Amino acid sequence: MLFFNSTRWRGTTIAVALCGSLAGCAALSPAPNLTSDQKKALSTSLNEKYRAYQDCMTSESDRFSHITSAPPSDIAKGAQAGCEAAFRSYHKAVTKQFTSFVSSAGQAEARSRADQHASDAKDRTWGHVIQRVLIQRQ
């Protein structure tokens, strides 16, 4: 019994090299070329959507901050419920921003990173809302 079959090993090596080569080519395929105006428009849209989400969260939390029996985290949760459309709009802008600069091979990773970025922004905004409610109650 042979432990090492050179023909099988050579075939496997070629198959692995071919798959790696194709994956590498797909990952290195050029990303869409965006003009500076298109890049600026994406960035401006993203910033506007984020400001709109933050403004909504501020407005919604101010509506409930006078309810002293409500914990600040509940106020943030209620504000988020009122601002879900603004957040979805922001999330969509983040996804568009992240996916516009990568090739088709990198789209899934870009969407994943966009989801994480939007989630982190939501957490930061909630933290600001909670802090704002606490300050208003002093």
Side-chain angles (χ1 to χ4, degrees):
M1 178 174 185
L2 280 174
F3 177 75
F4 178 78
N5 182 333
S6 63
T7 305
R8 182 183 299 159
W9 176 253
R10 193 173 345 136
T12 302
T13 303
I14 292 170
V16 169
L18 182 60
C19 289
S21 155
L22 291 175
C25 290
L28 296 176
S29 63
N33 289 328
L34 300 175
T35 66
S36 61
D37 287 342
Q38 290 171 319
K39 291 175 185 177
K40 186 176 179 181
L42 283 171
S43 180
T44 299
S45 174
L46 179 62
N47 290 332
E48 288 173 355
K49 304 287 185 187
Y50 187 56
R51 274 194 299 275
Y53 171 59
Q54 287 179 317
D55 290 347
C56 181
M57 288 292 285
T58 298
S59 175
E60 286 294 306
S61 68
D62 285 351
R63 289 181 46 213
F64 302 110
S65 63
H66 69 280
I67 305 171
T68 56
S69 62
S73 59
D74 286 355
I75 291 174
K77 191 177 194 177
Q80 181 64 42
C83 297
E84 195 58 36
F87 177 74
R88 280 194 310 271
S89 179
Y90 166 69
H91 188 273
K92 186 176 179 179
V94 169
T95 302
K96 185 170 184 167
Q97 174 82 15
F98 277 52
T99 58
S100 293
F101 295 97
V102 297
S103 67
S104 58
Q107 292 292 307
E109 177 66 22
R111 278 190 291 279
S112 175
R113 288 181 185 221
D115 290 346
Q116 186 60 52
H117 181 82
S119 177
D120 291 347
K122 181 190 257 187
D123 291 346
R124 279 191 309 276
T125 303
W126 274 47
H128 290 276
V129 165
I130 290 170
Q131 185 177 25
R132 181 178 173 87
V133 170
L134 291 172
I135 289 170
Q136 288 174 341
R137 290 182 177 178
Q138 291 180 350

